[in-house]
Amino acid sequence: MKKVRTRFAPSPTGFMHLGGLRTALYAYLYAKHHDGDFILRIEDTDRERFVEGALEVIYSSLLSSGLRYDEGPDVGGNYGPYTQSERKEIYMEYAKKLVELGGAYYCFCSKERLETLTDENGNRKYDKHCLKLSKEEVEKRIASGESFVIRQNIPLEGTSSYEDLIYGTIEVDYAELEDNILIKSDGMPTYNFANVIDDHLMEISHVIRGTEYLSSTPKYNLMYDAFGWERPVYIHLPTIMKDATRKLSKRYGDANFDDFINKGYIEEAIINYVALLGWCPKNNAEKMTIPEMIELFDLSGISKSPSIFDDVKLRWLNGEYLKAMSDDEFLTRAKPFFEKSEVSKLYDISKIAKIIKSRIEILSDIPEKVSFLVERPSFDSVLYENKKQKTDATVAKQVLPLVLTALSEIEDFSNDNLFKTLSSLSETLSIKSRQLFYVLRIALTGLEVTPGGATEILEILGKEESIKRVKSALELL
Ligand code: GLU
């Protein structure tokens, strides 16, 4: 059996769209599931849209998402160059061959003439005007330096058909297609041409890409057929939507991989979530590592209908990844987000990291989550009232002065020691330790719900700040 070879073929736009990342992921998973190769090809023939630094964005997003390509511009391979702008001569050679085969023709029409070709609906469709030029005339005009393009020669009648592994049989009437430009006047190919030449020369067995190419694929098949080349297998993927009517778009800040990283999502969670946008594994797994996805990947789990991006689910999944991290790893990743808060100047963030790791969903939740450590919010003594804990302001009044004395006497301000000492204090007072800890936590934080228990918070705040907070809480009672 032929080796499976898939490719990801982004244009260097300067950002990694999550839809693109999903295409890359599925192409990667499909190849790896079948022990095949995954190739990166840069489609940069539109030189007007060149963006500085765009290649680095592609390389780094794939790398940090864990999608390693076997061949590509920066890693090499036997089918290079992998950057289309470096393959200009190759395309020209094949375009000339296609002209000889009758699948394409030179066109010298001026911009002005093309503008007159608009039909009553405002659609412009080329009228094959230059198809009738003789070979001699074409050669003469090229020799005289006249500017030209090469267009595809699409039959006027008939229907084309092919099988897509997701969408089934696709039929398109040739009349709906146009004689698109294959080689532009600057000698560069268009996507319409370059994708065919490259997929063939790079021996791509399965073309995996977005549904926007579903209806133009018959044009590409005409070229495979004209050259006598085997068509690849096609796998078109459903669109990712923001909601029922809008596509996920960078414009709304909801499609760019880097925007998510900056918001405090982690790469593993994003790639895991992206996998689920249109694919459901047989065992319905949700949290999966890339090796697990490779094992499970199966086209029958890919849906035809557009998938809707679900923020809440991505947040949840991200939280699951944070929880599963070691404390050290969490701290490394969380550090930049701690540094957005005063808290990093005041306290030992490694201790705070431990208490919040399982209580946030995304890293940018950190500054808000720890703001009570920077400044205790003002609160009213009704906050001490809790039926379940059997506490109220009276309990606080009874307990807090003694806690204050105990705190000033404790030398070892570690969570363990604080817990032991204050638990035995509650015994002396004949109250439940959880009552003591409840009112103390309110006094320290001014919040009903906090990450961490009273003694963990004491340890973070340290002796001086803890005493200050309990004192001022007593004054409010
Ligand atoms: N450069 C095309 C894009 O970014 C690639 C489409 C394909 O995979 O064939 O949409």
Side-chain angles (χ1 to χ4, degrees):
M1 227 179 79
K2 224 170 103 180
K3 184 160 197 182
V4 169
R5 287 174 56 85
T6 65
R7 83 314 189 259
F8 175 48
S11 300
T13 54
F15 70 98
M16 179 61 76
H17 190 287
L18 290 189
L21 191 64
R22 186 196 58 179
T23 302
L25 174 66
Y26 287 8
Y28 172 83
L29 296 176
Y30 191 81
K32 296 302 149 190
H33 184 86
H34 294 95
D35 293 321
D37 296 330
F38 172 59
I39 291 116
L40 174 66
R41 180 172 78 223
I42 302 296
E43 303 212 323
D44 63 343
T45 56
D46 193 349
R47 303 307 284 170
E48 279 162 30
R49 291 165 82 191
F50 184 79
V51 180
E52 204 65 51
L55 293 180
E56 285 63 39
V57 170
I58 295 172
Y59 300 150
S60 70
S61 320
L62 293 177
L63 187 70
S64 64
S65 312
L67 306 184
R68 291 195 183 274
Y69 34 96
D70 302 290
E71 297 164 32
D74 55 338
V75 300
N78 295 331
Y79 298 79
Y82 294 91
T83 302
Q84 287 187 331
S85 58
E86 293 168 24
R87 300 170 64 80
K88 200 170 162 185
E89 286 72 35
I90 303 177
Y91 304 121
M92 193 50 109
E93 181 196 326
Y94 280 96
K96 285 180 183 161
K97 262 191 208 162
L98 194 60
V99 170
E100 276 164 33
L101 292 166
Y105 57 95
Y106 290 89
C107 170
F108 301 90
C109 287
S110 65
K111 219 169 106 210
E112 292 71 32
R113 174 167 195 280
L114 294 176
E115 271 160 19
T116 64
L117 298 177
T118 315
D119 69 13
E120 60 276 13
N121 302 319
N123 299 324
R124 200 175 294 165
K125 191 167 174 179
Y126 188 63
D127 60 356
K128 289 184 182 282
H129 179 75
C130 288
L131 181 60
K132 57 180 189 294
L133 299 178
S134 70
K135 201 169 173 213
E136 293 69 39
E137 181 169 2
V138 166
E139 276 167 12
K140 213 169 80 201
R141 290 173 79 165
I142 296 174
S144 73
E146 208 176 314
S147 158
F148 67 85
V149 298
I150 297 180
R151 289 184 182 273
Q152 187 172 8
N153 185 17
I154 308 262
L156 289 168
E157 289 171 358
T159 304
S160 80
S161 143
Y162 73 99
E163 290 302 311
D164 180 86
L165 290 195
I166 309 296
Y167 291 89
T169 307
I170 304 296
E171 291 200 334
V172 177
D173 290 339
Y174 288 130
E176 283 172 29
L177 305 175
E178 200 190 346
D179 286 5
N180 287 123
I181 293 175
L182 302 179
I183 299 285
K184 296 180 279 187
S185 56
D186 64 0
M188 277 290 190
T190 57
Y191 168 79
N192 286 328
F193 190 53
N195 91 86
V196 172
I197 303 306
D198 289 345
D199 285 341
H200 171 72
L201 295 179
M202 295 179 183
E203 294 185 30
I204 301 303
S205 61
H206 294 71
V207 165
I208 301 179
R209 63 184 165 209
T211 45
E212 63 270 33
Y213 297 99
L214 198 62
S215 60
S216 48
T217 294
K219 291 192 283 203
Y220 314 144
N221 285 335
L222 276 173
M223 291 189 252
Y224 284 101
D225 299 350
F227 282 119
W229 296 341
E230 191 183 339
R231 298 177 182 181
V233 176
Y234 292 108
I235 300 169
H236 286 94
L237 303 174
T239 316
I240 304 178
M241 306 291 286
K242 178 184 173 64
D243 52 36
T245 54
R246 285 175 297 174
K247 279 192 192 170
L248 205 60
S249 139
K250 183 189 163 233
R251 217 171 333 136
Y252 308 115
D254 53 17
N256 181 358
F257 178 71
D258 278 341
D259 286 347
F260 282 90
I261 300 295
N262 295 336
K263 276 188 252 169
Y265 292 87
I266 61 159
E267 293 84 348
E268 294 89 328
I270 300 174
I271 198 80
N272 186 161
Y273 179 63
V274 158
L276 303 173
L277 284 170
W279 172 54
C280 177
K282 277 212 175 76
N283 64 359
N284 290 320
E286 292 199 302
K287 187 164 180 273
M288 288 173 281
T289 61
I290 290 190
E292 285 163 347
M293 292 184 217
I294 293 175
E295 179 75 33
L296 290 164
F297 197 66
D298 169 24
L299 296 182
S300 66
I302 295 185
S303 111
K304 279 191 195 141
S305 38
S307 20
I308 301 214
F309 190 88
D310 179 355
D311 271 346
V312 176
K313 185 153 181 187
L314 173 57
R315 277 189 73 102
W316 164 79
L317 193 57
N318 201 71
E320 293 301 298
Y321 273 88
L322 295 181
K323 267 185 223 154
M325 267 181 201
S326 71
D327 287 344
D328 282 348
E329 193 187 350
F330 177 76
L331 184 61
T332 312
R333 303 241 200 173
K335 215 165 165 226
F337 293 86
F338 273 116
E339 281 161 3
K340 292 186 178 148
S341 157
E342 276 294 294
V343 88
S344 61
K345 298 198 191 99
L346 299 170
Y347 305 113
D348 177 352
I349 59 169
S350 67
K351 287 182 183 154
I352 309 174
K354 281 195 183 119
I355 64 167
I356 62 161
K357 190 178 84 176
S358 59
R359 292 178 175 92
I360 55 169
E361 288 186 319
I362 62 176
L363 295 170
S364 57
D365 290 343
I366 290 177
E368 210 235 77
K369 206 54 160 194
V370 301
S371 66
F372 74 92
L373 294 169
V374 178
E375 194 185 335
R376 185 185 61 194
S378 59
F379 68 103
D380 193 279
S381 53
V382 287
L383 204 63
Y384 291 111
E385 214 173 292
N386 185 306
K387 286 216 175 75
K388 206 170 132 226
Q389 307 288 352
K390 300 205 170 62
T391 58
D392 56 20
T394 317
V395 176
K397 252 186 220 156
Q398 177 204 353
V399 169
L400 290 179
L402 295 151
V403 169
L404 190 60
T405 317
L407 291 181
S408 44
E409 283 164 8
I410 297 174
E411 290 298 328
D412 171 7
F413 229 68
S414 67
N415 177 23
D416 283 350
N417 187 51
L418 287 159
F419 189 81
K420 248 187 277 153
T421 318
L422 295 176
S423 300
S424 63
L425 174 65
S426 65
E427 266 170 50
T428 330
L429 292 172
S430 309
I431 59 162
K432 292 236 161 21
S433 61
R434 56 168 224 234
Q435 288 175 289
L436 181 147
F437 288 131
Y438 190 82
V439 293
L440 174 55
R441 203 169 50 78
I442 300 280
L444 292 170
T445 67
L447 297 174
E448 216 175 329
V449 183
T450 57
T455 53
E456 285 167 308
I457 294 167
L458 283 172
E459 180 182 323
I460 291 166
L461 293 174
K463 189 164 173 168
E464 196 185 326
E465 178 67 14
S466 300
I467 290 177
K468 204 170 111 200
R469 289 191 180 202
V470 177
K471 265 192 191 153
S472 92
L474 271 168
E475 281 159 21
L476 294 170
L477 270 167

